[in-house]
C-alpha cells in the first residue's frame, strides 16, 4: 500500500512508538527508543505502565497527531490491548488524513499470526467480540486497521541479531525523515544552486574536521541556507545541533554557558549536565565530542568568544565532523585559527529569483486582475530597489499584499526618495 508523502505533514515529534508494554517495554522498545535518541530523532514513548480503559487519553491522541512517523511494534500480545488497538485506529486515521508514515515491526511473534490474525491474535479478538458484544463495529474496525497496517512494508527480526535489526530500523526512519527537507519549502527561492556550491565545500566524503563559514549582509539568507543544508545532511552524523540566532540570544541575556548546555544536550541526548561556567563547558565539549562525528550549525555569530566557547579547535570533534558558522563578519572567520576553514559568500538573488520571491508574498496565489500592467511596472521598480536581498523582498511583498495601486505607487515614491531599503531589512 502506498502511503502519503511525509513532506506535507507538519509535526512536533519525529516518531511515535506504539507497543504492548508487557511484551516489549523493558527490552526491545527501550533499546529502539535509546537508539533513536542517540541519533537525535525526537521520539514519543508512553511510559505509563498501566493500560486502563478502552479509549486512549487526549494526550496520546495529540502525540500521535503531532508525529511524522508512527512505529507500530506487533508483539505476541499486541492485539490483547484495546489501548493499542485504539492507538492503531488513530494512527491509520492520521496516515490517511495527514500523510503520516507508518512503520510496522513484527517482533517475537510469527508474522503469519499478525497478517492472518490467527493464534494469539485470533484469541484476543474472540475475547474482544465477547466483551464488546453490543459494539461489534468497534471490534470490526480494530481488525480492519490491524490488517491495513500489517499489509504495509515492515521489518521482521529474522536472524536474532537485535542490535543490527534496530540499526536497520533507525536507518529506515532517518531515510523517511530526510524527505522533510526544508529546501522543499516554496519560499526558499534560488536555494538549490547555492546548496550545490556549499556541498563541495562541506565535502561529506572527507574524513577531516572541517569548518565552513557562510558570510554576507543581514537579510541575505544565510540562516535559510544553513537550515536547508542541516536538514539535508544531519542524518549522516552521530550527533547534530543547530543553534539559532546566537547574537540575539546573547543580547536577550542568554549566557554562553547556556548555549554550551544546549549544544551538549542536543548532541549527547541528555538533560542532566552540570556546567557552572564557560571553562567547564569548553572542557566538557572537548572531552565528550572528540570521538564523535558531529554536525554543528552556529547561526549569526558576531564575537570570537562565541566560537571559542562552542567550537574552538579541530581536535574538539571526531573525524568527519562539520561545523558551519553563519556571520556578517568575514574577519571573524579569518581570525578563527582552525586548520580547515572553507568560506562561502552569500550572493544576492538575480532578477528572476527576486521577482519570484517578491510575488509569493505580494500576490500570494492570485495576481491582480485590474491594473495588471501598472502593478508589473511598480513591481519592477521595487525589485530594483530591493537589490536582490531576500528579507527585503519578503518584507516589502508582505507589506504590499492586498493593497491598492495607489499604495504601491506611494511606496515606490518613498523608495525613490530614500534611495535605499535599509528600513525593510531587519538586522
Amino acid at each position: 500500500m502506498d502511503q502519503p508523502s511525509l513532506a506535507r505533514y507538519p509535526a512536533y515529534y519525529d516518531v511515535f512508538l506504539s507497543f504492548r508494554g508487557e511484551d516489549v517495554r523493558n527490552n526491545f522498545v527501550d533499546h529502539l527508543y535509546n537508539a533513536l535518541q542517540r541519533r537525535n530523532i525526537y521520539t514519543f514513548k508512553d511510559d505509563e505502565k498501566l493500560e486502563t480503559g478502552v479509549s486512549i487519553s487526549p494526550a496520546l491522541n495529540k502525540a500521535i497527531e503531532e508525529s511524522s512517523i508512527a512505529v507500530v511494534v506487533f508483539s505476541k500480545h499486541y492485539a490483547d490491548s484495546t489501548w493499542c488497538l485504539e492507538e492503531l485506529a488513530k494512527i491509520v486515521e492520521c496516515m490517511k488524513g495527514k500523510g503520516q508514515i507508518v512503520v510496522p515491526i513484527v517482533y517475537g511473534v510469527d508474522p503469519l499470526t499478525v497478517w492472518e490474525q490467527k493464534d494469539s491474535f485470533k484469541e484476543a479478538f474472540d475475547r474482544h467480540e465477547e466483551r464488546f458484544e453490543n459494539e461489534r463495529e468497534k471490534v470490526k474496525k480494530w481488525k480492519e486497521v490491524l490488517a491495513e497496517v500489517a499489509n504495509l512494508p515492515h521489518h521482521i527480526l529474522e536472524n536474532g541479531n537485535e542490535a543490527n535489526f534496530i540499526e536497520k530500523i533507525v536507518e529506515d526512519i532517518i531515510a523517511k525523515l530526510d524527505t522533510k527537507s526544508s529546501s522543499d519549502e516554496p519560499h526558499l527561492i534560488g536555494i538549490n544552486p547555492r546548496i550545490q556550491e556549499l556541498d563541495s565545500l562541506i565535502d561529506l566524503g572527507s574524513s577531516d574536521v572541517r569548518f565552513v563559514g557562510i558570510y554576507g549582509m543581514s537579510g541575505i539568507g544565510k540562516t535559510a541556507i544553513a537550515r536547508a543544508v542541516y536538514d539535508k545532511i544531519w542524518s549522516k552524523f552521530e550527533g547534530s545541533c543547530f543553534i539559532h540566532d546566537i547574537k540575539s540570544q546573547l543580547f536577550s541575556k542568554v549566557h554562553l554557558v547556556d548555549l554550551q548546555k544546549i549544544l551538549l544536550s542536543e548532541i549527547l541526548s541528555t538533560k542532566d549536565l552540570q556546567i557552572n561556567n564557560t571553562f567547564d563547558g569548553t572542557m566538557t565539549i572537548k572531552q565528550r565530542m572528540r570521538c564523535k562525528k558531529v554536525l554543528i550549525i552556529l547561526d549569526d555569530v558576531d564575537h570570537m568568544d562565541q566560537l571559542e566557547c562552542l567550537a574552538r579547535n579541530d581536535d574538539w570533534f571526531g573525524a568527519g565532523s562539520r561545523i558551519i558558522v553563519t556571520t556578517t563578519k568575514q574577519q571573524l572567520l579569518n581570525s578563527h585559527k582552525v586548520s580547515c576553514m572553507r568560506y562561502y559568500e552569500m550572493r544576492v538573488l538575480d532578477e528572476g529569483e527576486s521577482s519570484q520571491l517578491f510575488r509569493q508574498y505580494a500576490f500570494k496565489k492570485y495576481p491582480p486582475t485590474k491594473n495588471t500592467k501598472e502593478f508589473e511596472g511598480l513591481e519592477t521598480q521595487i525589485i530594483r530597489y530591493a537589490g536582490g536581498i531576500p528579507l527585503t523582498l519578503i518584507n516589502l511583498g508582505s507589506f504590499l499584499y492586498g493593497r491598492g495601486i495607489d499604495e504601491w505607487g506611494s511606496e515606490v515614491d518613498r523608495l525613490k526618495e530614500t534611495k535605499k531599503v535599509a528600513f525593510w531589512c531587519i538586522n
Side-chain angles (χ1 to χ4, degrees):
M1 174 186 294
D2 292 332
Q3 298 190 53
S5 168
L6 180 63
R8 65 180 178 85
Y9 183 74
Y12 181 71
Y13 297 102
D14 294 320
V15 170
F16 177 92
L17 287 175
S18 176
F19 58 95
R20 172 67 161 149
E22 294 178 11
D23 288 353
V24 292
R25 181 189 303 280
N26 295 322
N27 42 67
F28 175 73
V29 165
D30 267 352
H31 299 154
L32 175 59
Y33 176 78
N34 289 334
L36 292 168
Q37 291 291 95
R38 285 194 296 272
R39 299 296 293 274
N40 285 341
I41 299 171
Y42 192 29
T43 304
F44 182 94
K45 177 170 73 77
D46 179 26
D47 285 321
E48 291 296 326
K49 296 184 179 179
L50 295 177
E51 297 169 358
T52 59
V54 177
S55 299
I56 61 176
S57 69
L60 275 183
N61 259 325
K62 190 170 186 290
I64 293 170
E65 291 173 352
E66 294 181 343
S67 298
S68 295
I69 296 176
V71 173
V72 181
V73 182
F74 289 127
S75 57
K76 184 175 182 179
H77 298 291
Y78 184 91
D80 288 9
S81 170
T82 58
W83 188 281
C84 287
L85 295 171
E86 283 291 288
E87 278 186 1
L88 196 62
K90 182 65 178 179
I91 287 167
V92 170
E93 176 189 317
C94 290
M95 179 181 76
K96 292 179 175 179
K98 296 189 175 184
Q100 188 177 73
I101 298 295
V102 182
V103 178
I105 298 170
V106 179
Y107 181 86
V109 62
D110 187 337
L112 290 177
T113 298
V114 181
W115 298 333
E116 299 178 4
Q117 296 182 17
K118 64 179 188 178
D119 300 332
S120 61
F121 275 54
K122 180 181 184 303
E123 293 167 6
F125 280 119
D126 288 344
R127 288 192 295 271
H128 296 325
E129 287 177 343
E130 183 177 344
R131 178 182 175 188
F132 300 102
E133 186 175 359
N134 298 324
E135 299 179 79
R136 290 296 180 93
E137 286 301 312
K138 180 192 292 286
V139 180
K140 181 183 177 183
K141 180 181 178 182
W142 289 342
K143 287 183 175 182
E144 288 173 351
V145 297
L146 195 148
E148 194 164 356
V149 173
N151 190 46
L152 297 173
H154 49 267
H155 295 271
I156 303 173
L157 179 59
E158 295 177 340
N159 59 12
N161 189 327
E162 189 170 298
N164 289 344
F165 181 56
I166 287 174
E167 186 60 29
K168 287 179 181 178
I169 294 168
V170 172
E171 292 301 327
D172 180 37
I173 289 170
I174 287 172
K176 288 176 167 60
L177 288 171
D178 277 350
T179 65
K180 284 174 56 180
S181 171
S182 66
S183 60
D184 292 333
E185 294 181 25
H187 69 276
L188 296 179
I189 304 300
I191 204 162
N192 286 331
R194 291 161 175 80
I195 287 178
Q196 291 174 7
E197 294 168 4
L198 265 171
D199 283 345
S200 63
L201 299 180
I202 295 169
D203 188 11
L204 291 178
S206 171
S207 62
D208 60 351
V209 175
R210 183 166 297 192
F211 286 67
V212 176
I214 302 174
Y215 67 94
M217 69 179 75
S218 294
I220 201 169
K222 300 183 297 297
T223 300
I225 195 170
R227 183 78 239 182
V229 168
Y230 180 86
D231 288 343
K232 179 183 176 184
I233 68 174
W234 69 270
S235 62
K236 311 299 182 185
F237 298 83
E238 295 176 86
S240 60
C241 179
F242 193 121
I243 303 184
H244 286 270
D245 203 0
I246 289 174
K247 180 173 71 174
S248 294
Q249 288 198 59
L250 294 174
F251 182 77
S252 302
K253 307 305 181 185
V254 172
H255 299 294
L256 272 172
V257 70
D258 297 316
L259 299 184
Q260 290 176 324
K261 289 178 181 177
I262 291 171
L263 179 63
L264 287 160
S265 63
E266 286 288 323
I267 290 180
L268 302 177
S269 299
T270 180
K271 296 180 181 179
D272 302 322
L273 290 166
Q274 296 298 321
I275 299 175
N276 299 317
N277 52 62
T278 55
F279 177 79
D280 288 347
T282 55
M283 294 304 296
T284 304
I285 292 170
K286 180 178 179 180
Q287 291 168 1
R288 299 292 298 274
M289 296 190 193
R290 60 186 176 186
C291 296
K292 210 171 181 66
K293 180 183 177 182
V294 299
L295 171 65
I296 298 171
I297 312 287
L298 303 178
D299 176 48
D300 202 10
V301 172
D302 72 333
H303 285 293
M304 182 57 65
D305 59 350
Q306 296 157 15
L307 288 178
E308 291 288 300
C309 288
L310 296 168
R312 181 184 304 165
N313 294 320
D314 311 64
D315 62 4
W316 280 21
F317 310 103
S321 292
R322 296 293 181 268
I323 294 83
I324 299 175
V325 181
T326 77
T327 183
T328 59
K329 302 177 179 180
Q330 183 184 6
Q331 184 55 43
L332 185 146
L333 300 173
N334 295 336
S335 300
H336 193 45
K337 303 299 184 183
V338 291
S339 62
C340 191
M341 172 71 83
R342 301 289 191 272
Y343 301 90
Y344 183 79
E345 182 179 8
M346 285 292 294
R347 65 180 186 275
V348 297
L349 300 180
D350 63 29
E351 186 175 340
E353 293 168 338
S354 296
S355 177
Q356 190 178 354
L357 181 59
F358 175 76
R359 282 173 164 255
Q360 280 193 0
Y361 288 85
F363 300 141
K364 309 296 184 185
K365 294 182 180 179
Y366 307 106
T369 54
K370 294 182 179 180
N371 303 317
T372 302
K373 289 187 177 179
E374 289 87 343
F375 273 109
E376 289 176 351
L378 293 171
E379 175 196 344
T380 300
Q381 296 181 64
I382 290 168
I383 288 171
R384 185 172 69 247
Y385 286 119
I389 302 172
L391 185 57
T392 303
L393 291 159
I394 290 170
N395 287 341
L396 279 167
S398 299
F399 174 74
L400 292 170
Y401 171 66
R403 297 177 186 266
I405 191 72
D406 291 340
E407 291 173 285
W408 277 56
S410 296
E411 184 57 30
V412 168
D413 290 340
R414 191 192 68 79
L415 292 173
K416 285 181 181 178
E417 184 178 341
T418 60
K419 295 184 179 179
K420 60 181 180 179
V421 290
F423 174 79
W424 292 106
C425 189
I426 299 172
N427 290 317

